[in-house]
Amino acid sequence: MAMDLTTKYQPYVDEVFTTESKKSLLTNNDFSWTGAHTIKVYKVTTGQMNDYDRPGENMGKVVVDEDSETQTVMLSRYGAIESLDATTEEMTLKKDRSFTFAIDKLDADETQQQLSGASALARQQREVVIPEVDAYTYGVMATGAGTKPAAITLTETNIYTEIIKANTVLDDAEVPDDGNRSIVVTPAVLELMKKCDDITLNSDIGAELRLKGVVADLDGLHVIKIPKKRLPANFGFMVAHPCATVAPTKLEEYKLHSSPPFISGDLVEGRIVYDAFVLDNKKMAIYYQENKAATG
């Protein structure tokens, strides 16, 4: 007996799991790119400290700097008069990204409106745009980190020691200890932390920090869990203060055109201009530890 069975489509889209961006705790927007494509900031040196020549015994003496082979006449009891250097570092936006796609009016109707311009645009932002910007920013931070020790295999035995070592490096570099330091970890490394007997994660986190992606606190660090596909290969962990990384988004524009010329349906367009920069004099506020895969 032949029988044609009914196939029924539900008004439901099996969406891909995605994670909201968590880079706001790790970066800053201290500079404005309004009206500019490139920004230059100054780096100014300082003068050296001297022993004050109270008796004036060194007045008129010639001091020879063997490194630079220069001679300086001591004209002041305060020491040799120096000139300060004022150099610049340049930040030019490099990422100008875009997308566009069309949705036919009948395609939208015959998929029970599951294929619509508005939902497709939201999906594009959630599944494509945000992950791209995140991955790029974290890559720039890891590459520009002031401290990058040799790769090691992180285990539940050594993870706490390595994290404390990283925080100590930031302390010695006089990075602000103002409650804004964070540690970025993959889910696998967070699992190691949970198994470590020496680590007690403080999960008493305020609602505002939880919304930004903080899962716990450890040794004064906000613990932020990031999916490994948004991080560089062999990512172990990264301790960072937001003062080090400038992550501007100069332009973010999304358009939904209904029945534009030449298209029967919706036309979706988007453009985002962004970048990320690690400041030279603040790069010590980033410590990146690569994870070497265990062998055997």
Side-chain angles (χ1 to χ4, degrees):
M1 180 179 69
M3 182 179 298
D4 290 331
L5 300 178
T6 299
T7 298
K8 183 177 181 180
Y9 287 90
Q10 296 293 327
Y12 176 83
V13 176
D14 185 13
E15 302 284 8
V16 175
F17 287 123
T18 57
T19 305
E20 293 295 327
S21 177
K22 299 172 183 176
K23 71 184 182 72
S24 63
L25 283 175
L26 299 162
T27 62
N28 69 76
N29 289 288
D30 290 348
F31 308 108
S32 172
W33 264 260
T34 302
H37 189 66
T38 298
I39 281 182
K40 290 186 176 181
V41 295
Y42 279 100
K43 297 183 294 182
V44 181
T45 59
T46 56
Q48 69 176 8
M49 297 296 290
N50 307 298
D51 291 328
Y52 182 74
D53 184 16
R54 185 175 180 181
E57 296 173 350
N58 295 321
M59 295 290 290
K61 286 186 177 180
V62 176
V63 179
V64 179
D65 187 333
E66 295 180 356
D67 294 331
S68 60
E69 298 182 351
T70 59
Q71 296 182 347
T72 304
V73 179
M74 298 290 286
L75 299 176
S76 170
R77 298 190 183 196
Y78 291 90
I81 300 175
E82 303 177 63
S83 295
L84 300 183
D85 294 329
T87 58
T88 60
E89 56 185 297
E90 184 175 288
M91 295 179 283
T92 300
L93 297 173
K94 300 179 293 295
K95 307 295 286 186
D96 190 347
R97 305 280 284 162
S98 61
F99 63 85
T100 182
F101 51 82
I103 298 176
D104 187 270
K105 190 172 291 184
L106 281 182
D107 289 342
D109 177 72
E110 293 171 0
T111 57
Q112 302 183 58
Q113 300 301 317
Q114 297 308 297
L115 187 61
S116 68
S119 62
L121 175 56
R123 186 177 301 110
Q124 179 77 13
Q125 292 172 288
R126 187 174 62 247
E127 298 180 14
V128 180
V129 177
I130 291 175
E132 176 184 304
V133 175
D134 277 7
Y136 177 80
T137 302
Y138 299 141
V140 168
M141 293 177 68
T143 301
T147 305
K148 291 185 285 186
I152 60 172
T153 300
L154 295 174
T155 67
E156 59 188 82
T157 302
N158 68 8
I159 183 64
Y160 183 62
T161 300
E162 296 303 321
I163 292 174
I164 295 301
K165 184 191 301 182
N167 220 9
T168 300
V169 169
L170 266 66
D171 288 339
D172 287 338
E174 300 188 65
V175 176
D177 187 12
D178 53 6
N180 289 320
R181 294 186 193 177
S182 297
I183 177 171
V184 176
V185 295
T186 63
V189 172
L190 181 59
E191 183 179 354
L192 293 178
M193 294 167 64
K194 291 178 178 179
K195 291 179 178 179
C196 178
D197 293 335
D198 295 326
I199 292 180
T200 301
L201 294 173
N202 177 16
S203 58
D204 186 17
I205 305 299
E208 182 179 354
L209 288 176
R210 283 197 178 278
L211 288 174
K212 291 182 178 181
V214 177
V215 297
D217 274 345
L218 174 65
D219 193 38
L221 302 172
H222 298 314
V223 181
I224 302 176
K225 179 178 64 174
I226 304 290
K228 69 176 183 178
K229 64 182 179 180
R230 295 194 191 183
L231 297 167
N234 303 318
F235 187 93
F237 66 82
M238 180 166 61
V239 176
H241 189 284
C243 69
T245 308
V246 183
T249 298
K250 173 167 180 152
L251 174 67
E252 191 170 12
E253 180 181 64
Y254 304 105
K255 300 177 182 178
L256 175 59
H257 305 280
S258 181
S259 297
F262 313 114
I263 295 176
S264 175
D266 292 335
L267 175 66
V268 180
E269 298 173 325
R271 182 184 182 191
I272 180 169
V273 181
Y274 70 94
D275 215 321
F277 309 92
V278 175
L279 297 171
D280 286 346
N281 284 345
K282 292 185 172 63
K283 62 185 179 182
M284 289 304 296
I286 304 177
Y287 182 108
Y288 173 59
Q289 177 62 66
E290 185 177 342
N291 189 17
K292 183 167 61 177
T295 58

